[in-house]
């Protein structure tokens, strides 16, 4: 195979990988915005919490590397615990920091979200340290495509990443579209007062939205640790900004738009790294954000104001 084509296909896989965990973070951004129109800048730090808390849970046991036998079955159980903890943390943040400001000007909760983000990062640095942290190499790096190419790599880590994130994205879409609770969330997003008059407990719906968004970010953090093998207390800030860009690109408040935007950002970063240079990737991504806000603020698929609400 042509080496240039191999390099291109390798970056396509890299772009899809980045898009997968960005999509899980972006979904939380867009769900919260769809319900209460808050840009929760602390959301990226839940991604970091998922990374650290899963690392702590793994550390409680003498786990073989790579995972073998019954420990492979423990993986989904630990993922469930991570979802509960990160989702619960997000619910506590909403109850303590955001709910009292509901009804005030939009600037107050926005600044509060930034403050919560800094607070969480300081706590992470205090508990887990400010240096780069290695995540155990539980998943082997055997290349399934080694017989076909030495450049293109598809390993069990890629399989784990796609196997976890894609079903979650599909499941969330079906949950929002087809379940009674999903319909209640869409009703609250359309008009909270009207939803309350129809008997919907809006506070409960908002809490559930924060729980789901936090849980998805937590799973993304755990999968990111298993996939890349390292992380740092401040990484949620950058990934949060990328995910926010993805949500705006696709149309903030729009579930499908967040997923589409995440994969576009992933591809842009992967191709920019190969053809332009990694030092320009952030410039290009945030230039896209600026251009989108200037020329099409509703995003590619339309924001909550035009097409679809959560």
């Amino acid at each position: 195979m042509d080496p240039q084509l191999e390099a291109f296909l390798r970056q396509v896989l890299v772009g899809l990988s980045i898009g997968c965990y960005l999509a899980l973070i972006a979904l939380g951004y867009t769900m919260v915005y769809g319900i209460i129109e808050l840009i929760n800048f602390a959301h990226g730090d839940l991604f970091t919490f998922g990374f650290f808390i899963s690392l702590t849970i793994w550390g409680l046991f003498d786990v073989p590397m790579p995972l073998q036998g019954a420990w492979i079955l423990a993986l989904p159980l630990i993922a469930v615990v991570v979802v509960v903890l990160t989702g619960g943390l997000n619910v506590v943040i909403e109850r303590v920091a955001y709910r009292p400001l509901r009804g005030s000007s939009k600037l107050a909760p926005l600044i509060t979200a930034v403050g919560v983000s800094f607070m969480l990062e300081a706590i992470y640095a205090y508990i887990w340290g400010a240096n780069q942290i290695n995540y155990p190499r539980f998943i082997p790096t055997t290349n399934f495509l080694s017989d076909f190419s030495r450049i293109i790599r598809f390993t069990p880590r890629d399989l784990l990443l796609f196997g976890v994130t894609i079903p979650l994205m599909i499941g969330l879409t079906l949950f929002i579209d087809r379940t009674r609770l999903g319909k209640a969330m869409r009703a609250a997003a359309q008009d909270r007062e009207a939803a309350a008059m129809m008997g919907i407990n809006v506070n409960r719906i908002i809490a559930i939205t924060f729980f789901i968004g936090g849980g998805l970010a937590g799973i993304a953090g755990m999968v990111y640790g298993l996939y890349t093998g390292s992380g740092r207390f401040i990484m949620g800030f950058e990934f949060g900004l990328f995910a926010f860009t993805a949500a705006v690109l696709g149309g903030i408040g729009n579930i499908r738009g967040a997923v589409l935007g995440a994969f576009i950002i992933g591809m842009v970063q992967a191709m920019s790294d190969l053809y332009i240079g990694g030092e320009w990737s952030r410039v290009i991504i945030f230039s896209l954000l600026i251009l989108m806000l200037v020329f099409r603020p509703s995003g590619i698929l339309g924001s909550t104001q035009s097409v679809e609400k959560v």
Side-chain angles (χ1 to χ4, degrees):
M1 188 182 294
D2 185 348
Q4 291 189 353
L5 178 59
E6 285 186 280
F8 173 78
L9 293 176
R10 180 193 62 192
Q11 290 307 103
V12 169
L13 277 176
V14 171
L16 291 174
S17 303
I18 297 170
C20 278
Y21 52 77
L22 278 185
L24 291 183
I25 308 172
L27 283 171
Y29 263 116
T30 215
M31 288 176 70
V32 168
Y33 184 85
I35 291 285
I36 59 175
E37 297 187 357
L38 165 68
I39 299 173
N40 182 15
F41 281 113
H43 189 73
D45 296 293
L46 295 165
F47 166 79
T48 311
F49 183 71
F51 173 89
F52 280 126
I53 200 64
S54 61
L55 184 64
T56 300
I57 295 171
W58 285 116
L60 297 176
F61 307 100
D62 183 19
V63 184
M65 289 189 289
L67 289 180
Q68 299 172 4
W71 284 108
I72 297 177
L73 300 178
L75 190 62
L77 296 178
I78 292 177
V80 170
V81 174
V82 170
V83 166
V84 171
L85 293 176
T86 50
L89 175 61
N90 209 21
V91 171
V92 170
I93 291 171
E94 187 275 331
R95 182 68 184 85
V96 173
Y98 301 148
R99 189 178 299 183
L101 298 175
R102 210 180 292 163
S104 62
S105 70
K106 290 186 177 181
L107 187 60
L110 193 67
I111 293 174
T112 302
V114 175
V116 171
S117 174
F118 286 135
M119 183 188 70
L120 290 176
E121 288 171 5
I123 293 173
Y124 299 158
Y126 179 78
I127 297 176
W128 287 287
N131 297 321
Q132 194 77 14
I133 304 291
N134 291 325
Y135 205 97
R137 307 279 180 173
F138 290 130
I139 310 298
T141 56
T142 309
N143 184 11
F144 296 132
L145 303 177
S146 59
D147 292 337
F148 303 97
S149 171
R150 287 186 296 179
I151 297 177
I152 305 172
R153 292 182 59 80
F154 189 80
T155 69
R157 293 183 182 187
D158 297 290
L159 198 59
L160 172 75
L161 180 65
F162 295 128
V164 171
T165 56
I166 292 176
L168 279 175
M169 287 184 274
I170 295 172
L172 178 66
T173 303
L174 293 175
F175 172 78
I176 296 293
D177 285 346
R178 301 188 180 181
T179 67
R180 189 171 181 177
L181 193 55
K183 291 176 182 175
M185 293 170 71
R186 286 156 54 198
Q190 289 286 339
D191 190 325
R192 271 183 282 164
E193 293 182 357
M197 286 191 287
M198 295 300 293
I200 295 173
N201 187 333
V202 174
N203 284 333
R204 177 170 166 266
I205 293 298
I206 291 173
I208 291 172
T209 303
F210 270 80
F211 181 84
I212 294 173
L216 291 173
I219 281 289
M222 176 177 167
V223 171
Y224 178 81
L226 291 168
Y227 187 77
T228 65
S230 70
R232 192 162 177 249
F233 75 102
I234 204 169
M235 66 181 182
F237 178 75
E238 182 176 33
F239 283 106
L241 285 180
F242 282 174
F244 171 67
T245 305
V248 172
L249 193 63
I252 193 160
N254 187 318
I255 293 287
R256 295 170 183 82
V259 175
L260 174 65
F263 281 105
I264 290 175
I265 294 295
M267 283 297 170
V268 168
Q269 181 173 353
M271 293 305 164
S272 172
D273 288 348
L274 176 64
Y275 294 111
I276 301 176
E279 67 273 20
W280 290 101
S281 296
R282 290 172 179 78
V283 175
I284 294 170
I285 288 171
F286 291 115
S287 296
L288 276 178
L289 173 64
I290 294 169
L291 291 172
M292 186 58 70
L293 288 172
V294 171
F295 295 106
R296 189 175 169 80
S298 62
I300 296 172
L301 297 185
S303 72
T304 55
Q305 305 302 317
S306 58
V307 178
E308 174 194 2
K309 289 208 169 193
V310 167

